[in-house]
Amino acid sequence: MLKVEDTSQISEQSIEEMQLQLYSKINKIIEYIYDELELAKALIGPNGDPYFEEKIKELLRNILNSDIELIKGNINVKNYIPEDYAHEVVISELISVIKLWLTKANPEPPQKISEIIIKTRYLSPHELLGFDNSIPFEDQLATVNHENE
């Protein structure tokens, strides 16, 4: 995954602008899928067309790559794991969210699922699961273990 090492070149406004651009791109894909919801459910379902999922992955990969290049051009980042693995983790997570969305009998509107997807990009796994990052994880884990005794 990428971690920003030098944020002095990025303003809060430019981060918000990048997030809005990413939201807009993701939302276009989600709206397209939503417009063809029944077809998308059939194509991405268990007996669906693997090519359809690959096409969605390709679209998401292109968005991710263009946004990463934009960010990398402005700041120093550090790769904590090889870039190809980091990209696959991110893309697979996005596809998993979309697949879950498509399995719902009454899926959320495109704007809501797009917001959820964007939040998954900026929240840590602990935050996604509802852990409070202001409390050390070990303390939270101890509380959970104590409750299960």
Side-chain angles (χ1 to χ4, degrees):
M1 291 292 187
L2 299 174
K3 178 156 179 146
V4 175
E5 290 187 324
D6 178 13
T7 58
S8 64
Q9 297 174 352
I10 289 189
S11 69
E12 198 170 303
Q13 182 181 1
S14 64
I15 291 173
E16 287 177 12
E17 288 170 4
M18 286 186 272
Q19 289 173 341
L20 285 173
Q21 288 174 358
L22 180 59
Y23 172 84
S24 176
K25 292 173 185 176
I26 295 291
N27 197 53
K28 283 181 185 177
I29 293 172
I30 296 300
E31 284 180 349
Y32 174 76
I33 293 170
Y34 192 77
D35 288 344
E36 301 293 336
L37 193 60
E38 292 308 313
L39 178 61
K41 284 182 177 186
L43 289 172
I44 210 162
N47 298 319
D49 181 359
Y51 177 74
F52 181 72
E53 185 173 331
E54 284 305 312
K55 194 67 175 164
I56 299 293
K57 275 184 161 182
E58 183 182 323
L59 287 169
L60 294 170
R61 191 172 287 111
N62 289 338
I63 290 170
L64 177 66
N65 289 339
S66 67
D67 287 347
I68 286 175
E69 291 305 315
L70 175 68
I71 293 169
K72 280 186 173 181
N74 294 322
I75 58 172
N76 294 325
V77 293
K78 180 176 182 177
N79 291 329
Y80 284 94
I81 65 173
E83 204 167 291
D84 56 339
Y85 287 97
H87 286 210
E88 186 59 32
V89 167
V90 171
I91 298 301
S92 294
E93 288 173 354
L94 294 175
I95 289 292
S96 292
V97 170
I98 292 169
K99 286 172 92 171
L100 174 62
W101 177 59
L102 290 174
T103 63
K104 293 187 167 193
N106 194 10
E108 293 87 350
Q111 298 79 11
K112 181 66 176 172
I113 199 66
S114 295
E115 288 173 17
I116 290 169
I117 287 172
I118 295 302
K119 286 179 183 178
T120 68
R121 301 302 84 217
Y122 295 99
L123 296 173
S124 73
H126 291 122
E127 290 168 320
L128 289 172
L129 293 171
F131 288 99
D132 182 354
N133 278 349
S134 66
I135 301 170
F137 181 68
E138 294 78 19
D139 293 347
Q140 293 180 40
L141 192 56
T143 301
V144 170
N145 288 337
H146 179 69
E147 290 172 358
N148 290 332
E149 292 177 348

